[in-house]
Amino acid sequence: MGWTGSKVNDEYYIERAIELASKGLGHTRPNPAVGAVIVKDGVIIGEGWHKKAGGDHAEVAAIKNALKKGDKTSVSLEGASIYVTLEPCSKVGRVGACTDAIASAGISRVVYVISDPNPKNRGKAKRVLAKKGIECSQYKGDKVLIAKCQDLIKGFSKHILTGMPYVTVKIAMSLDGKICDDWGNANWISSTASRKCTNQLREVVDAIMVGAETVRKDNPSLLARIHPNKDLIRVIISKTGKLPKGAQVFTDGKNPTLVFNDPKKALIELGKMGVTSVLCEGGLKLAQSLAQSGLVDEWITVLAPVIIGKSRIGKALRLKSIANKCFMCDGDMFYNAVIKD
């Protein structure tokens, strides 16, 4: 497994649980991505993550993983500890309560990092497990690890509290502040490496949203190419609904594509469908509309070493290299691009 055989501290096990949880991002809606590891005598004996809504939660997956390692009659989890990125559920839903599974397995100690974001359930696991004689505590150590666990469920947290998905807007722009040339062409402002990062973003969200002009001009697939996300939903915002029937998003036979005439209505409907995270990739008007409606939770700006001016993208000036220096000034982010020979 690569993580067994060493007696280490809580941070080690939590880091592994985070790594496992990350595998579920983009696939568990409307549930959160959660990871768990079971430790006995300083050794990880079981691990798991939530793979899909309706499937085993991370705790149950880890218990099953531990029991698979040998003769079930000889494997005992008595005295073991389980580390979980999110507070275990304590009520029966589509699957059984994780607190019941933990108790039935004979696990003696539970450590979780993030409390359930739902105020109705927050802190219940500790009370339920205490009644069963099981020690349960919330991890209060490394702030970086806590932030990572919080990041894993940011979409779930917003959705459970508001019914709306977490919205990230990604904009690629040139040094002279353009996201396309004067003819509306945007391929390619950013570098190959940046586009790889964009693909990684597509791998871990529930839906990707673009405006109609992006579909008309670029004919994008809107899919992750390196590690395809079969659960990703493609969303197009078009006031008129007039879109090219031959566009990839309608003809490639892959992920579903939904069309809406208003971004806010789209997010409301997506929320009702259980979508917890949306990546907005294309269209300045769409990004502005989302921002003006107070619907953007996170911005990602790719600042490319390109000067477009009045040229077409293909003739834009591409600088050989720049050294980026960023600093804050009264809330403003300063990008200092230093040109190097």
Side-chain angles (χ1 to χ4, degrees):
M1 195 179 297
W3 286 78
T4 59
S6 298
K7 193 166 185 176
V8 289
N9 56 22
D10 288 357
E11 284 70 29
Y12 183 88
Y13 305 128
I14 291 170
E15 189 73 65
R16 177 56 179 163
I18 292 170
E19 183 180 337
L20 293 165
S22 298
K23 296 182 179 183
L25 286 171
H27 307 291
T28 63
R29 66 175 181 269
N31 295 345
V34 182
V37 298
I38 299 173
V39 180
K40 187 171 182 178
D41 298 325
V43 175
I44 294 180
I45 60 171
E47 56 184 31
W49 69 96
H50 186 41
K51 297 180 180 179
K52 196 172 185 67
D56 289 337
H57 287 188
E59 298 90 330
V60 174
I63 290 169
K64 289 183 177 180
N65 179 251
L67 295 177
K68 282 182 180 179
K69 294 187 179 304
D71 182 355
K72 291 185 180 181
T73 61
S74 63
V75 173
S76 173
L77 300 186
E78 294 289 340
S81 298
I82 186 167
Y83 292 81
V84 195
T85 55
L86 179 65
E87 179 181 358
C89 64
S90 54
K91 65 177 182 179
V92 177
R94 293 176 66 178
V95 297
C98 289
T99 50
D100 290 341
I102 290 169
S104 297
I107 292 171
S108 304
R109 176 173 174 257
V110 177
V111 178
Y112 67 89
V113 183
I114 302 298
S115 297
D116 190 325
N118 188 339
K120 295 180 180 180
N121 300 322
R122 187 177 301 144
K124 279 192 174 182
K126 188 173 183 177
R127 296 193 293 273
V128 170
L129 291 169
K131 291 179 181 179
K132 299 175 183 290
I134 298 172
E135 179 189 346
C136 180
S137 61
Q138 184 174 8
Y139 175 75
K140 299 290 187 180
D142 191 323
K143 292 183 179 179
V144 173
L145 292 182
I146 294 173
K148 285 183 178 180
C149 289
Q150 190 66 63
D151 192 61
L152 284 169
I153 65 162
K154 60 188 179 184
F156 172 74
S157 294
K158 183 179 179 183
H159 185 260
I160 203 72
L161 294 172
T162 69
M164 296 282 278
Y166 185 96
V167 178
T168 300
V169 173
K170 192 226 79 175
I171 293 287
M173 62 187 297
S174 65
L175 288 176
D176 53 340
K178 292 193 172 187
I179 67 167
C180 63
D181 62 23
D182 290 346
W183 293 264
N185 300 311
N187 289 348
W188 298 100
I189 289 177
S190 57
S191 66
T192 300
S194 294
R195 293 195 293 276
K196 182 178 179 180
C197 289
T198 297
N199 266 274
Q200 291 172 341
L201 290 173
R202 294 178 182 181
E203 293 170 13
V204 298
V205 294
D206 294 339
I208 180 168
M209 178 185 289
V210 297
E213 276 305 295
T214 297
V215 176
R216 296 185 187 113
K217 288 281 187 180
D218 300 339
N219 189 23
S221 72
L222 302 179
L223 300 177
R225 297 181 182 86
I226 302 171
H227 299 104
N229 179 353
K230 61 183 177 60
D231 298 308
L232 182 71
I233 297 174
R234 299 177 286 197
V235 179
I236 313 300
I237 305 300
S238 173
K239 288 184 178 180
T240 64
K242 295 179 180 179
L243 295 164
K245 294 181 179 179
Q248 284 192 75
V249 292
F250 301 124
T251 61
D252 61 14
K254 297 180 180 179
N255 299 47
T257 299
L258 304 178
V259 179
F260 296 92
N261 60 12
D262 178 81
K264 185 172 183 178
K265 290 179 181 178
L267 292 174
I268 291 172
E269 290 304 312
L270 290 170
K272 291 178 180 178
M273 293 168 56
V275 170
T276 66
S277 59
V278 175
L279 172 65
C280 175
E281 258 196 53
L284 180 59
K285 289 182 179 179
L286 175 58
Q288 289 173 332
S289 177
L290 289 168
Q292 289 167 359
S293 299
L295 297 171
V296 180
D297 298 290
E298 183 175 345
W299 286 86
I300 297 175
T301 302
V302 179
L303 187 61
V306 177
I307 303 294
I308 296 176
K310 295 184 178 180
S311 303
R312 289 186 179 273
I313 286 286
K315 294 184 179 180
L317 174 63
R318 293 183 175 270
L319 305 177
K320 292 183 178 180
S321 66
I322 62 171
N324 287 321
K325 296 180 181 180
C326 303
F327 60 94
M328 298 294 294
C329 181
D330 194 23
D332 293 332
M333 176 68 81
F334 279 63
Y335 292 89
N336 184 15
V338 182
I339 301 173
K340 292 186 175 181
D341 294 329

